[in-house]
Amino acid sequence: VNFSSESNSFKARVAAGNATSMEIRADSTSGPLLAAVNIPSTGDWSNYQEVSCTTTNISGTKKLYFIFNGPINFDWFVFLPKSNTEATNAFSRIEAKNFSGISSSNIKTVGNIVCYIQSGNYIVFNNVDFKSGAKSFKLYAANASGSTTDIEIRVGNSTGTYLGTLSVPSTSSWDEFKELTCNINTITGKQNLYLVFNGPVNVD
């Protein structure tokens, strides 16, 4: 595989009955570790989801070995050029439509809004830089489902380190957006940020 542009990010489409992981190594099954990819249960072997992670800086031509730590259905993968994966400043406004990956094809972007999110779905933002530390989270969202939707904030993967939960109360319409804030456990450095939803919500 020719990495003509240096890469430090990986994305794949997979399905798994149970949570598992895989390793990506160079040259042999025991060669240099390029990435460790956590794979959550997708609920069904035909329910494919995108997973992503950061990698070591990869350049040149490599022979890649994928080592699976459990059963996985593997559809496709892609490495992203380093120039496209510069860290996103956690302290500036991040548009929801600029996500790095989504858990389901039912999630759609309409204009600037990410919508049709259902319970169990997640959105991931790769390489978010929390610098010396963040301790609160703010989101602009709408929810006309008739009940509160909780959003878990995690890093690493959809079942990774838990930071906090933002509750989105029901509003009168899907176009009525509210700015909501919650406290989170302090997080530092560059992380892959996951928003995991327990119900319908539109996110701006």
Side-chain angles (χ1 to χ4, degrees), residues 47-50 101-108 116 121-122:
N47 183 25
Y48 284 81
Q49 298 180 5
E50 290 186 11
I102 54 178
S103 62
S104 173
S105 60
N106 62 269
I107 300 174
K108 305 294 183 185
Y116 303 109
N121 290 165
Y122 65 79

Side-chain angles (χ1 to χ4, degrees), residues 10-15 40 42 47-53 76 95-110 113-118 120-126 158 193-197 203:
F10 170 84
K11 182 187 296 185
R13 187 172 183 263
V14 300
T42 62
N47 183 25
Y48 284 81
Q49 298 180 5
E50 290 186 11
V51 296
S52 59
C53 70
W76 55 254
E95 297 290 342
K97 67 178 181 179
N98 294 332
F99 55 74
S100 305
I102 54 178
S103 62
S104 173
S105 60
N106 62 269
I107 300 174
K108 305 294 183 185
T109 301
V110 179
I113 308 302
V114 177
C115 50
Y116 303 109
I117 297 167
Q118 301 298 318
N121 290 165
Y122 65 79
I123 299 174
V124 58
F125 300 86
N126 284 347
S158 62
L193 174 67
Y194 283 73
L195 303 182
V196 184
F197 304 89
V203 181

Side-chain angles (χ1 to χ4, degrees), residues 44-182:
D44 188 272
W45 289 104
S46 60
N47 183 25
Y48 284 81
Q49 298 180 5
E50 290 186 11
V51 296
S52 59
C53 70
T54 57
T55 71
T56 61
N57 290 334
I58 310 171
S59 60
T61 301
K62 303 290 185 188
K63 183 180 289 186
L64 299 179
Y65 284 76
F66 291 80
I67 298 98
F68 301 95
N69 297 317
I72 299 168
N73 284 355
F74 197 6
D75 184 11
W76 55 254
F77 69 91
V78 63
F79 288 86
L80 304 177
K82 188 175 181 180
S83 59
N84 292 342
T85 55
E86 293 301 322
T88 300
N89 183 359
F91 301 99
S92 63
R93 177 172 171 151
I94 301 172
E95 297 290 342
K97 67 178 181 179
N98 294 332
F99 55 74
S100 305
I102 54 178
S103 62
S104 173
S105 60
N106 62 269
I107 300 174
K108 305 294 183 185
T109 301
V110 179
N112 290 327
I113 308 302
V114 177
C115 50
Y116 303 109
I117 297 167
Q118 301 298 318
S119 181
N121 290 165
Y122 65 79
I123 299 174
V124 58
F125 300 86
N126 284 347
N127 207 18
V128 177
D129 190 357
F130 294 92
K131 302 185 185 296
S132 60
K135 59 181 181 179
S136 64
F137 175 81
K138 183 184 293 184
L139 185 73
Y140 199 51
N143 166 26
S145 68
S147 61
T148 298
T149 290
D150 288 336
I151 304 172
E152 292 183 4
I153 304 147
R154 295 181 178 269
V155 293
N157 58 65
S158 62
T159 57
T161 303
Y162 171 79
L163 300 183
T165 297
L166 178 72
S167 294
V168 183
S170 184
T171 54
S172 59
S173 80
W174 289 105
D175 296 320
E176 184 183 344
F177 284 82
K178 291 187 175 182
E179 187 175 274
L180 304 162
T181 304
C182 71

